[in-house]
Amino acid sequence: MQRFVRYFFGIIIIGCLVWAFYSIPYDILREERARLYGEELTSGLVLAVSSDETGGMPDARLIVEYKYVDPDGFARIASARLPNSLWQKYSPGKTVKVIYVRTRPDLARVPGEVEPRFQVWLRELMD
């Protein structure tokens, strides 16, 4: 009986470990690891502003599409989900601050952008 109980608890523990490793958002970990090597601030141009009514975030429906130039001279287009309270601040043709990763300019964000809680927690932990 004792042997059966050990096997049973062993299977449960292994199952929990597999589930935990499966739940880790590795893409976020990779992004934040790249950001750890340095971010730079630049400015971008707002191209379009829209509202996402289908998203599951009622407080962050504002989608801002913007363009910025990376250090290699390539123009990049990205979008950011922002809180509804910033709607008046962004309109097409206005400038926006863009924070991009020095080693990976395709990873860009706008200050105040709505991000997953895990990502914000991880960034605060690394700072």
Side-chain angles (χ1 to χ4, degrees):
M1 183 68 177
Q2 188 178 12
R3 185 179 224 182
F4 174 75
V5 171
R6 276 194 231 152
Y7 282 134
F8 180 73
F9 281 115
I11 290 172
I12 295 226
I13 289 171
I14 289 171
C16 289
L17 286 172
V18 168
W19 174 79
F21 285 130
Y22 178 77
S23 299
I24 294 173
Y26 287 105
D27 54 337
I28 292 175
L29 286 173
R30 285 188 200 105
E31 285 181 23
E32 292 307 315
R33 192 180 118 220
R35 285 190 171 117
L36 186 63
Y37 294 114
E39 289 184 315
E40 299 215 3
L41 184 66
T42 188
S43 62
L45 180 68
V46 176
L47 300 175
V49 178
S50 62
S51 176
D52 180 18
E53 300 296 329
T54 61
M57 299 181 195
D59 296 334
R61 292 186 177 153
L62 174 64
I63 304 292
V64 175
E65 186 175 329
Y66 59 94
K67 178 170 66 172
Y68 66 99
V69 179
D70 69 11
D72 296 330
F74 294 108
R76 298 191 182 266
I77 296 176
S79 62
R81 180 179 292 273
L82 297 167
N84 298 339
S85 60
L86 299 176
W87 189 272
Q88 299 295 326
K89 185 176 179 181
Y90 298 102
S91 62
K94 286 192 174 182
T95 59
V96 62
K97 291 181 183 177
V98 179
I99 302 170
Y100 68 92
V101 178
R102 200 176 321 152
T103 57
R104 294 211 24 220
D106 58 314
L107 291 179
R109 62 187 173 98
V110 175
E113 184 174 343
V114 176
E115 296 173 306
R117 289 183 191 168
F118 177 75
Q119 190 165 10
V120 173
W121 174 80
L122 189 60
R123 189 176 304 129
E124 289 173 356
L125 183 69
M126 287 194 277
D127 287 341

